[in-house]
Structures are given as C-alpha cells and as structure tokens.
Amino acid sequence: MKQEPKTSKEISGMGHSMKRKEDGRFIQGKGRYVDDIKLEGMLYMDIVRSPYAYAKIKSIKTEKAMATPGVIAVVTGRDLEKYNLHWMPTLMSDTQMVLPTDTVMYQAQEVAAVIGTSRYAAADGVEAVEVEYEVMKPLMDPYRSMDPGSPVLRTDKKGKKDNHIWHWEAGDRKKTDKLFETAEVKVKEEIYLPRIHVASIETCGCVASYDKVNNYLTMYMTTQAPHAIRTVIALVAGHVGLTEEKIRVISPDIGGGFGGKVPVYPGYVIAIAVSFLVGKPIKWIEDRSENLQADSFARDYHITAEMAGTKAGKIQGIRFKVLADHGYTDAAANPSKYPLGLFSVCTGSYDYDTAFIESDAVYTNKPPGGVAYRCSFRVTEAVHAIERITDKFAATIGKDPAAFRMQNFIKKEQFPWKSPTGWTYDSGDYAPALQKAMDVIGYDKLRKEQAEKRKKGEIMGIGIASFTEIVGAGPSKDFDILGIKMFDSAEIRVHPTGKAIARFGTKSQGQGHETTYAQIIAEELGIPAENIQVEEGDTDTAPYGLGTYASRSTPTAGAAAAMAARKLRDKARKIAAYLLEVSEADLDWVPGKFSVKGAPEKSKTIQEIVFAAYTNHPQGMEAGFEATHYYDPPNLTFPFGSYICVVDIDKETCEIKVRRFVAIDDCGNIINPMIVQGQVHGGLTQGIAPAMYEELIYDEDGNMLNGTLMDYLVPTAVESPSWETGHTFTPSPHHPIGAKGVGESPTIGAPPAIANAIIDALSPYGIMHLDIPITPYKVWKALKEKGVVKAI
Ligand code: CDP
C-alpha cells in the first residue's frame, strides 16, 4: 500500500504516545551500564600504557607486578602472539596492534595488561610493570610525514616505502582547473580543523565472559554497533574456536557514544583473550585520561579551500585539497568506498556545477582513528570549509553574507539536485530557512547596530552557516563497513493481547529510540506506544543491523519500523476482511481499526484482529502476528539548516561572548519535537566546543599537552548561550514517513556560524581567517599583529 508522506503535524501529534507521561517520554532501558555489571568470579583488567610516542620496547619485566597482592596475570604482546591475537583489523581494513611485540607507535598506546582480583590490585600491578624503551623521534606533522626523507613508520607492512595511506578524488579536475584559470574572482584559504576528542560521559569498557563448558562468549560492551562488532570478533578469533554463533554481544545502556564507541579498541580484544584463557569474566573500564589520550580522535583535517565566481556574486565552482592525519593506523570509521568519509558533500547548499576534491591520508605517531564525532563521516569538516570560504568570497566582493547565500542557494524546484561530486540531494528549500533565522534574530537591525558600534570602535560580529547534511547510510549498493552492507532492520512481534515487542539493529546512546520507534509503530499500526516495548543492543535477540552513528537511525531503522508495521497492517486487513465477512477492498483503515466502507459501526480493532491471528485466523494463513523488515534506503537523506550567531568581543581581554544563537533546522517530518529539540541543544553545545574550546595539542616529541579534562576544555552549561531553535519542514520524498536524521546537524552547523561571526567581528582590522578553536588568546594575538591591541 503506497503511503503519502505525512505532514510534520500529523506525525508529531500521535496523541496516545505523547500522553503516557507528562513529559511525553518514557524510559524502557534497565538503567544498567557496563560498569554496573558484576559477575561471579569476575577479575579486573588495567593497562600499562606507553609514555613515549615512538619507541622500541627493549624489555618488559613483570616479576614485581606478579608479586603485587591480588595480581593474577600480566599479558604482553608476546603472549598474544602465541595465539596470533596480537594484531587486529581496523574498520578501514588496515591493521592495528592489540599489544605491541617490539615497537610503540603513539603516546598512551597499550603495552601490557594486568589482571587482578580487584580494580585496585590491577592498578597497583600496572605501576609495578617495568618497561625499558629505546626512544625514537616521532613524526607528529603530517606534512613532514609526507617528505620523501622521513622515516617509514609502518615497517610491519612489507614493501611500504612511505607514510602515505591513500589518495581519493571526487568531481572533475579538468573542468575545475579550467574554471579557476578564467574566473573573475578566486578566493583561497588554508583551514585546519584540529584533532578533538569524543568526551562522552561514560568512558569505554567491557565485561568479557567466556564460558569454557559451552564454548560461548558473552561480551557486555560500550558499543554503538553490536552486530558489526560480533562479526569482527568472529573474524579475529574464529581460528581459536570463537565462531559467530558462539558470541553474544550485549550493549546495555550507554552514556553517550558520538562515534567514539564505534571502533574496536585493543582493551576489548585483550579482555576477550584473557577471559578465553583463564575462563573467568574480565572487566575493563577506561579511566578518563586513558579515554582522552588513547581513544579514537575526530577531525585533524588540513584543507586548502578555493572558490571561484563572478564579481556580481555568482558562485561557479570550488576546489578543495585535504591532508588527513590518521595517526599510526587508518582506523577511521568510514564506509569502505569513502575513505574521506562523505566530505565530498562540501559543495554545500549552493547552485554550481564545477567542483574537484582531492585528498591524501598519512600516518603519523598519533593515536589512530578518525571517527564520525557526531557527524556523518566528515561532514563537519566539509561544512566548515564551504561555509568559511563562502563568507570569504562574499567579503572579497563586498556583499552581505546573507544576501550572497540567498543569491546562490539551490532552489526548491531544482530538487532532486545532482551535486558536482555525485550526490543526489533528495529535497531542500534553503531560502525560507535562512529567512526565518534572519527574521527571528532581527538581522537587518543587528547590521545597523554593528555599524554604529564599529564607529565607536566596539567589536561585534554576525555569522551565518547555511549547511546541507547527508545522513542515513546506505544505500547498500554504495555503503559497507568491512564488506558488511549498510542497511538496518526492525522486527515487530505483537502478542495475542495486542501488546508488542519491537527489536532493532541500531543502538541508542541516549537519543530516545525507545520513544520514537514506538511512536512510528503506533502511528502505522494503531497500537498505543506505551504498549510497545523497544529493545536494541543484544545480538542474540535483535535482527542484524549496522548500529547507530552518523544520524542513520531514523533514515534506516526508523524506516524499517514503518515498513514492518505496514506489512502487519496488510495482514490485519486480511484478517479483518475474514472476521467481518467482506472483501479487503471494502475496508477503510482508521487509526487503530478497520471498518466497513459505508458502515463504520461494523469494525474490528487492531487488538481484536491480533487476537484472531492467534485464535481464529483464516485457514491457510500463517498464524501469529509478527514481521521483520530489512530496510535498504534508496538514497541518503539531506537535512539542512541556517544558523546565525552574534558575538561581542571585549577589546581589552579579547573575551568572546556569544550574545545570541538562532538555529533553524529542517529534518523533514519530525517524529518527536521534544527529542529533536534535545538533540539540537546538545549538538549546538558540541558545536561551540570545537569552535571556541577543544583541541588536542601535542608537542614535537609526541607528548599530549592537555591529556586531562583540567586542560582539555569541554564546555558546560556555563559556557553555553541560550539556544534559540526553530524549524522548517521539507519531507524526504523517499523515506516512508518523510523524516530525515537530525542528531548531527547542530554539531555541523554551529562551528562555522560561530567562526564566521568572530571573523566578521574582526574583519574591519583586516583579519580574514582564524582556525578553530578561536580562543581569546588567538584573537588577542591577531589583533596585536594588526596593532589594534598592545602587548601586555
Ligand atoms: O542515529 P541517531 O539516533 O543518532 O540520529 P537520528 O536518526 O537523527 O535521531 C535522533 C533522535 O531524534 C531519535 O530518537 C529520532 O527518532 C529523533 N528524530 C525525530 O524525532 N524526528 C526526525 N525527523 C529525526 C529524528
């Protein structure tokens, strides 16, 4: 049955589901985190980490550690080597040490693991392990790493002669170069998005519990993608008998993931190996500093961004070059076909047909990774680059940045729009979103105020970002991770009394899937949402799926929920026709029941129909009432938005104050407005973070200079302005309920809006670009160079 996409009002107003509690939400999780798990005989693991970024291990002495009270074992790379478990694959088909046998490649790398009867015993054991290193000079700068004379880091790879990982391109080089030869106006900027960290409240950890009698591993772990992890464990440990049917991955409640809980970290693998060897459950929980120093990073892209256009203000094309620092191994969490992630959506929200993106990735002596930190595989980097260069172009030709964007937006009637790098944007209507943001903030009035302030020498700036997102990977024809296709799934089982359990291949980390998935099924099937139990994260019960990251849950598993519910509604129609003794064509569906056309008093509720599916179903029909759907999206969804930020900068202290921030988002039809607002608020705060505070800093010897949260500044409510949010509604034409993802839009839109506001404020002094995070010190330095402020 073909369904027209519903309006946002219809979908968000699913009365019954919103009434259950005053706040419209209900929690079905068990309130249990990995660290709360206690199993009989459980042992604890702690990890010895390298103080050096690049060093040969000369010896590891474990005698003192073994003599420490409560220490049971010390495990080294040489121990794992005996079982061929000392290396593992990364998500990008590179290789990564589980524990080193001879060389450490980054500071805080795992060197050995200590197993104890308590967390304290294991920690004391770590202190007592003696490692002798021969320290080498690390390569910390990706440009230096590319030098032909630089030492080759990955000597484990046979025949490797340099530190280059891959080269990747999108768009048309010839056409773009030609445009840049002839264009009237060309602007260029070197943009660096520094390495930052996913500081989720809960760190990573696991309890690996191997049952020797049944040869069965239960792995409780902090993962956003339990099924994929089970497959990876089977690939790594299948040769020692741990095949996939003998592995159960359970991802209980998770205290924030944001992409950082997608990768497989060595700690998980060591815990499994030790549990396998000693036959006892092993618990490993990172502490905050380990999490900050050693887990996957985000960003670390060096971008040369160029834009070409006319003096009259028509954008004609872009040319971007990226150097990606992947650390010691390529452990990026990207779909296989897109090693640069979805960066090639960097053509943005503007109408032009010429673009070329060229990128290289290199190894350095930094921790590995490259996760989609609350972003759909590098869209944050892409949006930052296009929105910064767009502002620079507008400033160069003397146009107002809002008018310049309005002039260049892709128009509503041009969708579906084929981008010059090969994406098909499903739907969009950009001008109304920007107009709404301008109206809410009072744009024209603010520009007048700014002009007055400038006359008095005061520093005020207004910044815009009009971003286009790309979320919902698959489609599976183009998207896979380690060869596993990127679809997602829903299974709905309705019990005889009309109450349901629904299971999914995704895994919420606080996004409220328990509420919104139940709402989708309630809307489609007429069963009240409070009668639908939603479960995720257990590979023994949930259907196979690729997990939750990159705002993919609503576009994939949310769609699967609607499709599975529609299969059930089709079955319900057949049963209703049988019970009411009419043909299927004579029935009308009104939420919650089928009634006979022209005789609405003759009807059967969904509960009566479900009961009949178990007690009185037509002969020849399969009994029961359950359906599964594996949804392979025909395209990605392209949410968008326009954000405007106003900043005031104190000329004496150079303190930057975000006075106002208006965020207008369009994620198509909204399932739950309150959850979406929560997503936007949190995401905006995670957007102000890299714009003004966060950056992982290393010295040239590879020491991380801000390895604790005392020095790595994660913003809190104190630093967050009062966010003003709003929406426009442009449904996705291909999603069953017209919804697009939303979780990452704010993290993506906020940094360029803030950076553009600060640069706008500083532009009268000839400052045209600063890299994020833009701190008071950076502003002071830039103003000092221009002679505006004096040295203290
Ligand atoms: O994959 P992830 O759950 O992180 O991101 P998402 O698909 O953007 O969804 C985040 C939360 O917002 C989920 O609970 C969604 O169901 C909800 N949402 C919504 O209510 N309406 C939308 N149009 C998009 C998401």
Side-chain angles (χ1 to χ4, degrees):
M1 193 171 42
K2 192 176 174 305
Q3 292 280 321
E4 289 304 317
K6 302 238 170 25
T7 66
S8 169
K9 201 158 159 271
E10 280 173 281
I11 290 193
S12 59
M14 284 181 286
H16 45 263
S17 62
M18 297 290 286
K19 276 183 204 145
R20 187 167 179 264
K21 272 195 179 172
E22 262 180 20
D23 67 357
R25 298 171 59 206
F26 56 100
I27 308 300
Q28 291 178 329
K30 295 169 191 69
R32 206 177 64 167
Y33 295 86
V34 169
D35 202 13
D36 298 327
I37 295 168
K38 287 191 181 72
L39 301 179
E40 215 187 312
M42 192 167 78
L43 300 173
Y44 297 81
M45 181 172 96
D46 202 346
I47 289 180
V48 179
R49 292 180 184 270
S50 169
Y52 303 110
Y54 192 30
K56 287 228 173 305
I57 297 172
K58 292 179 76 182
S59 66
I60 301 179
K61 294 202 181 95
T62 61
E63 294 78 7
K64 278 191 194 154
M66 287 302 289
T68 305
V71 168
I72 304 284
V74 180
V75 182
T76 65
R78 294 279 172 216
D79 298 321
L80 294 184
E81 192 179 16
K82 290 178 205 148
Y83 305 92
N84 198 24
L85 287 172
H86 56 315
W87 284 89
M88 63 181 189
T90 71
L91 296 177
M92 282 309 280
S93 300
D94 204 335
T95 48
Q96 178 172 359
M97 293 176 214
V98 177
L99 285 174
T101 49
D102 47 42
T103 312
V104 287
M105 302 295 287
Y106 60 94
Q107 192 181 54
Q109 183 180 339
E110 298 79 359
V111 173
V114 178
I115 314 300
T117 49
S118 72
R119 192 168 282 181
Y120 306 101
D124 288 347
V126 163
E127 291 297 315
V129 173
E130 294 168 311
V131 187
E132 200 185 337
Y133 297 94
E134 184 186 316
V135 182
M136 298 182 281
K137 185 79 186 163
L139 275 174
M140 301 306 291
D141 176 353
Y143 287 98
R144 211 166 69 73
S145 186
M146 292 278 272
D147 286 348
S150 285
V152 178
L153 295 178
R154 293 299 301 270
T155 49
D156 56 291
K157 288 174 180 274
K158 273 206 182 93
K160 187 96 185 104
K161 291 197 170 63
D162 55 30
N163 296 313
H164 189 246
I165 311 177
W166 44 254
H167 178 86
W168 194 82
E169 298 179 357
D172 188 331
R173 183 197 288 266
K174 253 192 181 161
K175 190 176 168 197
T176 309
D177 286 350
K178 206 160 164 219
L179 167 70
F180 274 85
E181 277 165 26
T182 54
E184 275 178 11
V185 186
K186 288 166 267 189
V187 294
K188 187 174 181 178
E189 196 55 77
E190 300 295 337
I191 299 170
Y192 176 50
L193 283 107
R195 207 169 245 252
I196 57 169
H197 172 70
V198 178
S200 49
I201 288 179
E202 181 198 27
T203 59
C204 292
C206 68
V207 177
S209 180
Y210 177 68
D211 170 356
K212 266 191 173 168
V213 176
N214 295 304
N215 180 32
Y216 193 83
L217 171 73
T218 307
M219 181 71 176
Y220 304 88
M221 65 188 288
T222 49
T223 177
Q224 298 173 232
H227 284 96
I229 294 290
R230 184 188 60 185
T231 303
V232 172
I233 297 173
L235 291 174
V236 173
H239 66 281
V240 293
L242 271 180
T243 48
E244 204 160 358
E245 82 285 9
K246 298 287 183 192
I247 304 166
R248 179 181 188 185
V249 174
I250 299 175
S251 187
D253 286 349
I254 292 193
F258 310 113
K261 287 174 182 161
V262 173
V264 179
Y265 294 113
Y268 298 137
V269 182
I270 306 167
I272 294 171
V274 176
S275 181
F276 188 75
L277 294 175
V278 302
K280 301 238 175 188
I282 304 292
K283 180 186 272 193
W284 165 67
I285 305 286
E286 281 175 336
D287 69 26
R288 178 54 63 188
S289 295
E290 290 177 296
N291 180 262
L292 181 60
Q293 293 168 19
D295 279 8
S296 275
F297 67 92
R299 326 294 186 235
D300 220 348
Y301 268 23
H302 299 256
I303 305 166
T304 306
E306 293 177 276
M307 181 177 270
T310 67
K311 283 183 197 153
K314 171 84 190 82
I315 303 173
Q316 293 173 306
I318 59 154
R319 186 165 60 188
F320 286 3
K321 198 172 160 66
V322 179
L323 182 64
D325 181 346
H326 278 250
Y328 121 80
T329 181
D330 188 3
N334 284 330
S336 310
K337 201 174 159 183
Y338 301 97
L340 193 66
L342 307 187
F343 182 88
S344 56
V345 79
C346 62
T347 50
S349 311
Y350 312 109
D351 176 18
Y352 51 89
D353 62 4
T354 309
F356 181 64
I357 321 299
E358 164 171 40
S359 57
D360 292 276
V362 292
Y363 293 123
T364 58
N365 287 108
K366 292 184 194 167
V371 294
Y373 173 9
R374 205 164 180 169
C375 110
S376 188
F377 313 116
R378 307 300 197 154
V379 181
T380 314
E381 291 87 328
V383 167
H384 197 77
I386 184 70
E387 288 304 295
R388 281 292 306 121
I389 199 74
T390 297
D391 252 35
K392 187 161 184 183
F393 195 102
T396 305
I397 61 168
K399 270 219 166 195
D400 175 88
F404 181 64
R405 283 177 170 81
M406 287 289 192
Q407 180 183 353
N408 284 287
F409 278 145
I410 303 159
K411 295 186 179 53
K412 188 181 181 184
E413 53 281 9
Q414 290 174 274
F415 290 89
W417 188 73
K418 193 115 175 91
S419 89
T421 49
W423 301 110
T424 303
Y425 293 12
D426 59 346
S427 62
D429 194 4
Y430 299 142
L434 178 55
Q435 192 57 55
K436 190 167 179 179
M438 289 168 72
D439 293 345
V440 172
I441 209 155
Y443 187 77
D444 296 337
K445 222 171 133 200
L446 283 168
R447 283 285 176 213
K448 283 190 191 117
E449 181 195 335
Q450 184 184 43
E452 288 304 315
K453 287 209 155 143
R454 281 184 177 168
K455 280 185 211 154
K456 292 188 262 170
E458 291 175 35
I459 310 180
M460 167 191 168
I462 305 158
I464 301 172
S466 292
F467 62 89
T468 293
E469 249 266 66
I470 173 171
V471 301
S476 71
K477 69 178 165 46
D478 289 325
F479 287 85
D480 72 86
I481 286 189
L482 280 178
I484 309 165
K485 297 288 188 188
M486 296 187 79
F487 50 81
D488 230 292
S489 58
E491 177 199 277
I492 307 170
R493 185 178 302 171
V494 190
H495 313 310
T497 54
K499 318 287 191 243
I501 179 150
R503 295 183 168 120
F504 296 85
T506 47
K507 173 64 203 165
S508 178
Q509 308 117 49
Q511 295 94 322
H513 293 174
E514 295 87 346
T515 304
T516 49
Y517 287 163
Q519 279 185 260
I520 293 171
I521 297 166
E523 171 74 12
E524 296 291 335
L525 209 50
I527 294 174
E530 59 264 38
N531 292 152
I532 302 166
Q533 176 82 17
V534 170
E535 253 188 43
E536 300 175 289
D538 183 341
T539 55
D540 263 12
T541 56
Y544 203 100
L546 269 283
T548 290
Y549 40 86
S551 286
R552 66 185 298 276
S553 303
T554 304
T556 58
M563 299 305 281
R566 285 175 195 178
K567 282 183 189 167
L568 288 176
R569 202 168 59 199
D570 288 347
K571 181 167 188 176
R573 179 183 287 271
K574 287 191 172 58
I575 299 172
Y578 168 75
L579 296 176
L580 292 163
E581 297 178 340
V582 292
S583 77
E584 284 180 50
D586 289 333
L587 290 174
D588 277 333
W589 169 254
V590 279
K593 62 183 175 190
F594 277 109
S595 63
V596 178
K597 279 191 175 129
E601 72 288 354
K602 286 184 75 184
S603 65
K604 288 288 170 191
T605 65
I606 189 73
Q607 287 78 9
E608 288 169 319
I609 295 166
V610 172
F611 197 65
Y614 292 89
T615 59
N616 179 24
H617 58 287
Q619 284 308 297
M621 177 189 272
E622 243 183 274
F625 206 73
E626 56 186 80
T628 305
H629 193 91
Y630 284 80
Y631 186 78
D632 189 357
N635 189 7
L636 295 123
T637 66
F638 293 76
F640 60 91
S642 269
Y643 293 177
I644 306 185
C645 172
V646 184
V647 296
D648 297 298
I649 298 177
D650 185 306
K651 219 171 180 173
E652 304 248 313
T653 61
C654 294
E655 187 197 359
I656 305 156
K657 232 191 170 96
V658 176
R659 189 202 311 177
R660 284 187 71 192
F661 195 106
V662 170
I664 303 299
D665 274 288
D666 194 318
C667 56
N669 291 332
I670 290 179
I671 301 154
N672 188 311
M674 187 187 286
I675 284 188
V676 167
Q677 194 178 19
Q679 290 286 306
V680 173
H681 276 213
L684 289 171
T685 303
Q686 282 184 317
I688 199 174
M692 294 175 65
Y693 304 102
E694 295 180 0
E695 175 178 17
L696 293 172
I697 305 168
Y698 297 86
D699 70 12
E700 59 177 29
D701 293 322
N703 298 306
M704 186 186 281
L705 301 183
N706 52 353
T708 76
L709 291 191
M710 289 301 285
D711 306 306
Y712 183 84
L713 302 176
V714 177
T716 66
V718 175
E719 288 79 18
S720 303
S722 177
W723 309 112
E724 300 170 60
T725 60
H727 293 276
T728 55
F729 302 96
T730 311
S732 166
H734 62 80
H735 188 278
I737 59 168
K740 302 180 179 184
V742 73
E744 281 136 6
S745 294
T747 335
I748 282 159
I754 295 166
N756 284 346
I758 298 171
I759 301 304
D760 179 60
L762 302 175
S763 59
Y765 309 102
I767 297 163
M768 299 303 280
H769 180 72
L770 290 175
D771 279 326
I772 57 170
I774 308 181
T775 58
Y777 176 66
K778 256 190 205 170
V779 171
W780 177 80
K781 238 176 93 187
L783 287 174
K784 193 177 128 270
E785 273 164 26
K786 299 287 178 189
V788 183
V789 293
K790 290 195 181 71
I792 300 164

